[in-house]
Amino acid sequence: MSSISPRNPMKIAFFSYKSYDKEWFDKHLGDTGFEIDYFRVRLVAETAQYAKGSDVICAFVNDDLSGPVIEELAGYGIKMIALRCAGFNNVDLETADRLGIPVYRVPEYSPHAVAEHAVALILALNRKTHKAYNRVRDGNFSLSRMVGFNLHGKTVGVLGTGKIGRVFAELMRGFGCRVLLYDKFPNTEMEDKGYSYVDLSTLLKESDILSLHVPLLPETAQIINSGTLKMMKDGAMLINTSRGGLINTEHALKALQSRKLGYLGIDVYEQEEGVFFQNLQEQIIDDNTLALLMAFPNVMVTAHQAFFTREALDEITRITLQNIEDFSKGVDNENRIELPE
Ligand code: NAD
C-alpha cells in the first residue's frame, strides 16, 4: 500500500472528473494533506486557466496536453503532470521537458482489465449476446441471424505483446485458439511459453481475429489502413482496446461496407474526445463516421471502458497519489516518463 506520509500541501487540479474518480481518490487520500480541485471539464486551451494556483495537473486520456496548453500551465506555476492512465500520446513530452515539468503515468494497473474487455468484445460480436439480450426481453426467442463461430481452433493475431497483449494472448490460448504474435521487440518469455512471433504481414494474412495492443506512436498511427486491411483475411474480426488513432476509421468503414472486414469491436475511437465519457443521450451525435459505425450490425463500440474495473481504479488512484507524493519529496520513481532518445 501507499507510503504516503502526513501533511503535504500539494494542490492538485483534477481535470475530466467523474463521480467515480472522487469516490476512489477520497478513499485513498488519507492523511496526505493533498488538496484536490475537481473540474468536470476536459483540459484544453480554454480550460487550462482553472489550474491557476495549483501545483499539479491530474489528467486523463482525452485531456489536451499539447505544447501550447503545457506552456500555459507552466505560466500558472504548474510543477508536475500526473496522468491517471497508461498511454501518454496526448502529451507533448518535449515541451514539458523544456519547461521542466515532469510527467508521470500509471504504466500498469490491471492489464487483465483491458485484456478481458477485448475478450468481451470478441464474444459479444461473435455470439451477438447484446442482441440476444434485447430480443429475449422483447419476447423474440428466434435464433435467426444469431449464428456465431467456435473460437476454438481459430487464429488470433496479437499486435503488440506488452503487458496487455501478453495477458490477452494467454486468455485466447485458453479458448484453444492458435495465437500468433507480432511486436517490434519480441518477448522471450512468450517464446519460452511456446508462442510464435511472425512478421506483420503474416499476422495480418493469417488472423481470423486481430487485436491491437501497441501504444499510439508516430510509427503506429493508422497502422490499420486500407493497405493493411486489404492484407487481412476476408471476414476477419478487428478489435481495438488500445488507442483510436491506430485505425484509419474511414478505411475501416469502407472495409466493413465492402464486407472485407467481418466484425469491428472498438473501445477507443480516433475522434473520441468530447464524445466518450459523456452522456449525450438527448443530443444529436455530431460525428457522421461514429453514427454510421454504430449503425452497423457487426460493429460494437464501447466508450473507453476497458480499464474500468474496481481493481484497476484502485491501482490507478493509489499509484497516481504515490507518484505525486514521490515528486513532492524528490524521491526517484520509475513512473516518470522519459523523453524518447
Ligand atoms: P506496453 O508498453 O506494456 O506494451 C506495448 C507493446 O507495444 C510493447 O511490447 C512494445 O514493444 C510494442 N510496440 C511499440 N511500438 C511498436 C511498433 N511500432 N510495432 C510493434 N510493436 C510495438 O503497453 P500496455 O500496457 O500493454 O498497453 C498497450 C496500450 O493499451 C497502451 O499504450 C494504451 O494506449 C492502451 N490502453 C487502453 C486502455 C483502455 O481502457 N482502453 C487502458 C490501458 C491501456
Side-chain angles (χ1 to χ4, degrees):
M1 282 303 290
S2 159
S3 62
I4 290 168
S5 65
R7 291 300 315 159
N8 192 327
M10 291 297 257
K11 197 159 179 222
I12 304 165
F14 194 109
F15 284 88
S16 300
Y17 143 76
K18 302 284 175 220
S19 53
Y20 51 80
D21 289 317
K22 188 165 180 337
E23 188 186 318
W24 286 93
F25 274 79
D26 280 354
K27 188 174 152 197
H28 279 280
L29 259 182
D31 55 5
T32 57
F34 295 162
E35 193 186 314
I36 305 185
D37 280 336
Y38 290 99
F39 302 113
R40 284 196 184 278
V41 289
R42 227 167 30 98
L43 173 61
V44 289
E46 293 73 27
T47 59
Q49 56 184 306
Y50 288 116
K52 273 183 199 165
S54 295
D55 304 294
V56 176
I57 292 291
C58 187
F60 197 46
V61 290
N62 290 329
D63 286 317
D64 175 0
L65 285 154
S66 57
V69 174
I70 295 179
E71 301 255 8
E72 193 175 340
L73 294 173
Y76 300 142
I78 291 299
K79 302 179 187 68
M80 174 210 189
I81 294 170
L83 300 175
R84 51 182 194 280
C85 54
F88 50 89
N89 51 285
N90 53 336
V91 186
D92 183 335
L93 291 177
E94 274 176 26
T95 302
D97 185 65
R98 178 170 52 77
L99 296 171
I101 302 178
V103 182
Y104 290 67
R105 67 178 179 133
V106 184
E108 176 171 352
Y109 42 88
S110 176
H112 295 275
V114 183
E116 287 170 14
H117 190 75
V119 176
L121 288 173
I122 293 171
L123 288 171
L125 273 170
N126 174 18
R127 305 306 292 268
K128 305 168 181 51
T129 35
H130 53 310
K131 292 184 187 175
Y133 175 80
N134 285 324
R135 272 198 191 186
V136 169
R137 278 171 71 96
D138 212 25
N140 178 356
F141 298 92
S142 108
L143 294 184
S144 105
R145 298 190 313 279
M146 297 299 272
V147 69
F149 58 86
N150 282 8
L151 284 177
H152 186 267
K154 295 294 180 297
T155 300
V156 175
V158 186
L159 208 171
T161 57
K163 293 174 283 295
I164 297 170
R166 293 200 300 273
V167 173
F168 174 76
E170 297 272 59
L171 295 176
M172 296 318 290
R173 188 183 246 190
F175 280 99
C177 297
R178 170 181 176 241
V179 180
L180 297 179
L181 312 177
Y182 170 73
D183 197 293
K184 201 173 166 189
F185 306 101
N187 181 291
T188 49
E189 276 177 34
M190 292 303 272
E191 288 172 320
D192 292 346
K193 286 183 179 174
Y195 288 94
S196 302
Y197 279 91
V198 294
D199 58 29
L200 182 57
S201 70
T202 307
L203 192 87
L204 294 165
K205 281 180 197 150
E206 295 202 9
S207 298
D208 298 297
I209 299 170
L210 177 68
S211 192
L212 310 183
H213 299 287
V214 283
L216 179 58
L217 303 166
E219 57 183 310
T220 58
Q222 304 207 340
I223 194 164
I224 301 299
N225 53 53
S226 56
T228 45
L229 283 161
K230 225 175 264 167
M231 294 165 76
M232 290 177 69
K233 266 191 176 174
D234 290 348
M237 182 186 287
L238 175 62
I239 301 292
N240 188 8
T241 54
S242 193
R243 283 290 181 270
L246 297 178
I247 298 182
N248 180 318
T249 317
E250 292 297 335
H251 292 183
L253 254 181
K254 287 207 173 78
L256 285 162
Q257 281 163 328
S258 69
R259 316 292 193 266
K260 172 73 188 170
L261 197 56
Y263 309 81
L264 176 66
I266 54 174
D267 183 54
V268 285
Y269 167 60
E270 249 183 324
Q271 311 295 338
E272 69 180 51
E273 296 88 353
V275 178
F276 282 16
F277 307 119
Q278 320 292 327
N279 181 350
L280 303 178
Q281 245 174 347
E282 299 303 320
Q283 295 178 40
I284 290 165
I285 306 227
D286 201 12
D287 180 329
N288 291 347
T289 307
L290 182 61
L292 196 54
L293 270 183
M294 292 190 307
F296 278 79
N298 50 351
V299 173
M300 177 169 267
V301 182
T302 54
H304 210 135
Q305 69 171 75
F307 74 100
F308 204 53
T309 65
R310 279 191 292 276
E311 292 80 358
L313 286 169
D314 200 61
E315 275 298 279
I316 289 171
T317 312
R318 192 184 65 75
I319 296 169
T320 303
L321 289 170
Q322 187 67 58
N323 289 345
I324 298 170
E325 173 81 357
D326 286 348
F327 165 74
S328 73
K329 291 179 168 170
V331 172
D332 272 350
N333 176 320
E334 58 186 15
N335 298 337
R336 180 173 173 170
I337 307 171
E338 301 289 342
L339 253 190
E341 309 256 304

